[in-house]
Structure formats: structure tokens, C-alpha cells
Amino acid sequence: MNAHTNWAAFTSAEPDLAGTVEARFAAFTHHTLATLRRDGSPRTSGLEVRFLLGELWLGMMPDSLKALDLRRDPRFALQANPGDGTGMGGGDVRISGRAVEVDDPGTKDAYVKEVEPPQPFHLFRTELTEVVRTYVEDDRYLVTEVWKPGAPVRTLRRT
């Protein structure tokens, strides 16, 4: 079993959940990224994400603390912006994995062509280790869908 996979592989394996996750991230521009500081404590930061060219991309300003964190320790957790109030339309969505910095000029150029980010910038592609969606069903059940590479989605329901 693979320990991680990219967005295209996840989309191929679980298209329904992938579509829901992308829609949740598309609903708002800014989301929350958790990285690990030098001392191992968590750091949360705002971030824009892109689903593009079969990858989930994380772009960051030069030498931002979150970029330096990921260079040192690539583990991350990303949570979709829950939006206003308590409605959580589409549920709470989280993605965990490893961020791999991209230095290849061709790859960065293709990203720049689509996104037009401020220059210069750090670009990371992601290797997914877990995707989780939590939502309320029928005002009765708390439903959690959990996907990990190499396994089907597990659905847990609690009252």
C-alpha cells in the first residue's frame, strides 16, 4: 500500500468525495494550513489553494514562515474554510499529507500561466495521506468519511 498519493490518484479512486472536497475549497478563497515549527509545535496560517493539473497546490510568499516550516518538515494539515455561521454547507473538510517544493521551471511556468501569482513565490505540490469529511445527516447523525491511500472510504455514523 502506498503511504501517499497525489490529487489525481485520489480523484480517480474516490471521485464523489474528491468532487465534494474540491467544492468545499472552491466555496471560499482562504483556508487554514497547519505546519510544524522548528520546535515541533503547530503553526496555523491562512492560505489559498489550487486544484490544477492533477495536483493540489500550495503557493506561498517568499520565505514565509509556513514555507520555511514545510521545507524543514513537509507534514501538513489543511482545513477548508467553514464559512459563516454554523451551517457548514458541504461539511467540514480536511486534507493531510506531505508538501513537496517544486523548483522545476516548466512546472512552475505552467502554474504561473494558470494562476498568475505574485512573483517570486514558493510552490508546493501535495502527497496526500488522508482526506476527511465530517457532516450532519438528517439532523441526526454525525457522519465522518475517511480516505487513506490504498483503501476505500470508510464511513462512520454516530448519533
mmCIF file of all heavy atoms in Angstrom, residues 135-144 156-159:
data_model
loop_
_atom_site.group_PDB
_atom_site.id
_atom_site.type_symbol
_atom_site.label_atom_id
_atom_site.label_comp_id
_atom_site.label_asym_id
_atom_site.label_seq_id
_atom_site.Cartn_x
_atom_site.Cartn_y
_atom_site.Cartn_z
ATOM 1 N N TYR A 135 -19.877 15.658 8.409
ATOM 2 C CA TYR A 135 -21.101 16.419 8.186
ATOM 3 C C TYR A 135 -22.239 15.809 8.988
ATOM 4 O O TYR A 135 -22.123 14.701 9.517
ATOM 5 C CB TYR A 135 -21.452 16.481 6.697
ATOM 6 C CG TYR A 135 -21.709 15.131 6.061
ATOM 7 C CD1 TYR A 135 -22.999 14.647 5.908
ATOM 8 C CD2 TYR A 135 -20.657 14.341 5.607
ATOM 9 C CE1 TYR A 135 -23.243 13.410 5.324
ATOM 10 C CE2 TYR A 135 -20.884 13.101 5.023
ATOM 11 C CZ TYR A 135 -22.174 12.644 4.886
ATOM 12 O OH TYR A 135 -22.405 11.417 4.319
ATOM 13 N N VAL A 136 -23.325 16.570 9.072
ATOM 14 C CA VAL A 136 -24.522 16.097 9.771
ATOM 15 C C VAL A 136 -25.508 15.598 8.727
ATOM 16 O O VAL A 136 -25.761 16.258 7.720
ATOM 17 C CB VAL A 136 -25.149 17.227 10.612
ATOM 18 C CG1 VAL A 136 -26.456 16.760 11.255
ATOM 19 C CG2 VAL A 136 -24.168 17.704 11.674
ATOM 20 N N GLU A 137 -26.063 14.408 8.988
ATOM 21 C CA GLU A 137 -27.023 13.794 8.076
ATOM 22 C C GLU A 137 -28.376 13.689 8.775
ATOM 23 O O GLU A 137 -28.450 13.175 9.901
ATOM 24 C CB GLU A 137 -26.517 12.398 7.696
ATOM 25 C CG GLU A 137 -27.403 11.637 6.741
ATOM 26 C CD GLU A 137 -26.788 10.288 6.411
ATOM 27 O OE1 GLU A 137 -26.979 9.338 7.209
ATOM 28 O OE2 GLU A 137 -26.112 10.194 5.379
ATOM 29 N N ASP A 138 -29.415 14.186 8.108
ATOM 30 C CA ASP A 138 -30.794 14.104 8.611
ATOM 31 C C ASP A 138 -30.955 14.700 10.010
ATOM 32 O O ASP A 138 -31.797 14.227 10.782
ATOM 33 C CB ASP A 138 -31.283 12.651 8.624
ATOM 34 C CG ASP A 138 -31.312 12.030 7.242
ATOM 35 O OD1 ASP A 138 -31.501 12.780 6.260
ATOM 36 O OD2 ASP A 138 -31.139 10.798 7.155
ATOM 37 N N ASP A 139 -30.133 15.692 10.359
ATOM 38 C CA ASP A 139 -30.182 16.305 11.701
ATOM 39 C C ASP A 139 -30.091 15.264 12.811
ATOM 40 O O ASP A 139 -30.533 15.499 13.937
ATOM 41 C CB ASP A 139 -31.458 17.138 11.883
ATOM 42 C CG ASP A 139 -31.455 18.382 11.024
ATOM 43 O OD1 ASP A 139 -30.371 18.961 10.816
ATOM 44 O OD2 ASP A 139 -32.546 18.759 10.549
ATOM 45 N N ARG A 140 -29.526 14.111 12.486
ATOM 46 C CA ARG A 140 -29.499 13.028 13.465
ATOM 47 C C ARG A 140 -28.122 12.401 13.631
ATOM 48 O O ARG A 140 -27.723 12.060 14.732
ATOM 49 C CB ARG A 140 -30.507 11.961 13.035
ATOM 50 C CG ARG A 140 -30.605 10.819 13.997
ATOM 51 C CD ARG A 140 -31.706 9.881 13.641
ATOM 52 N NE ARG A 140 -31.632 8.729 14.554
ATOM 53 C CZ ARG A 140 -32.165 7.577 14.299
ATOM 54 N NH1 ARG A 140 -32.849 7.387 13.199
ATOM 55 N NH2 ARG A 140 -32.050 6.587 15.153
ATOM 56 N N TYR A 141 -27.418 12.230 12.523
ATOM 57 C CA TYR A 141 -26.134 11.528 12.557
ATOM 58 C C TYR A 141 -24.970 12.468 12.274
ATOM 59 O O TYR A 141 -25.064 13.316 11.388
ATOM 60 C CB TYR A 141 -26.088 10.426 11.494
ATOM 61 C CG TYR A 141 -27.127 9.366 11.656
ATOM 62 C CD1 TYR A 141 -28.270 9.372 10.863
ATOM 63 C CD2 TYR A 141 -26.967 8.349 12.593
ATOM 64 C CE1 TYR A 141 -29.238 8.391 11.005
ATOM 65 C CE2 TYR A 141 -27.930 7.370 12.743
ATOM 66 C CZ TYR A 141 -29.060 7.396 11.946
ATOM 67 O OH TYR A 141 -30.010 6.430 12.102
ATOM 68 N N LEU A 142 -23.893 12.282 12.999
ATOM 69 C CA LEU A 142 -22.626 12.910 12.646
ATOM 70 C C LEU A 142 -21.897 11.875 11.791
ATOM 71 O O LEU A 142 -21.612 10.766 12.258
ATOM 72 C CB LEU A 142 -21.807 13.249 13.885
ATOM 73 C CG LEU A 142 -20.464 13.919 13.592
ATOM 74 C CD1 LEU A 142 -20.684 15.293 12.958
ATOM 75 C CD2 LEU A 142 -19.633 14.031 14.857
ATOM 76 N N VAL A 143 -21.657 12.210 10.534
ATOM 77 C CA VAL A 143 -21.051 11.275 9.599
ATOM 78 C C VAL A 143 -19.619 11.718 9.314
ATOM 79 O O VAL A 143 -19.370 12.886 9.009
ATOM 80 C CB VAL A 143 -21.857 11.214 8.280
ATOM 81 C CG1 VAL A 143 -21.226 10.230 7.308
ATOM 82 C CG2 VAL A 143 -23.305 10.844 8.562
ATOM 83 N N THR A 144 -18.695 10.799 9.404
ATOM 84 C CA THR A 144 -17.299 11.062 9.071
ATOM 85 C C THR A 144 -16.868 10.093 7.982
ATOM 86 O O THR A 144 -16.998 8.878 8.144
ATOM 87 C CB THR A 144 -16.386 10.905 10.300
ATOM 88 O OG1 THR A 144 -16.855 11.777 11.331
ATOM 89 C CG2 THR A 144 -14.944 11.262 9.961
ATOM 90 N N LEU A 156 -18.228 6.492 8.978
ATOM 91 C CA LEU A 156 -18.605 6.255 10.352
ATOM 92 C C LEU A 156 -19.796 7.148 10.687
ATOM 93 O O LEU A 156 -19.767 8.340 10.374
ATOM 94 C CB LEU A 156 -17.430 6.596 11.296
ATOM 95 C CG LEU A 156 -16.076 6.001 10.906
ATOM 96 C CD1 LEU A 156 -14.957 6.696 11.615
ATOM 97 C CD2 LEU A 156 -16.084 4.521 11.198
ATOM 98 N N ARG A 157 -20.837 6.584 11.309
ATOM 99 C CA ARG A 157 -22.026 7.359 11.687
ATOM 100 C C ARG A 157 -22.205 7.260 13.199
ATOM 101 O O ARG A 157 -22.193 6.159 13.743
ATOM 102 C CB ARG A 157 -23.270 6.818 10.992
ATOM 103 C CG ARG A 157 -23.422 7.263 9.583
ATOM 104 C CD ARG A 157 -24.746 6.787 8.968
ATOM 105 N NE ARG A 157 -24.909 7.316 7.649
ATOM 106 C CZ ARG A 157 -24.290 6.871 6.565
ATOM 107 N NH1 ARG A 157 -23.457 5.870 6.662
ATOM 108 N NH2 ARG A 157 -24.519 7.437 5.389
ATOM 109 N N ARG A 158 -22.412 8.431 13.818
ATOM 110 C CA ARG A 158 -22.684 8.464 15.247
ATOM 111 C C ARG A 158 -23.941 9.281 15.493
ATOM 112 O O ARG A 158 -24.219 10.226 14.777
ATOM 113 C CB ARG A 158 -21.528 9.116 16.006
ATOM 114 C CG ARG A 158 -20.263 8.293 15.970
ATOM 115 C CD ARG A 158 -19.228 8.850 16.886
ATOM 116 N NE ARG A 158 -18.862 10.211 16.457
ATOM 117 C CZ ARG A 158 -18.049 10.999 17.127
ATOM 118 N NH1 ARG A 158 -17.524 10.608 18.246
ATOM 119 N NH2 ARG A 158 -17.763 12.190 16.669
ATOM 120 N N THR A 159 -24.685 8.901 16.530
ATOM 121 C CA THR A 159 -25.877 9.671 16.889
ATOM 122 C C THR A 159 -25.544 10.608 18.032
ATOM 123 O O THR A 159 -24.567 10.453 18.716
ATOM 124 C CB THR A 159 -27.044 8.762 17.323
ATOM 125 O OG1 THR A 159 -26.596 7.909 18.366
ATOM 126 C CG2 THR A 159 -27.558 7.969 16.157
#
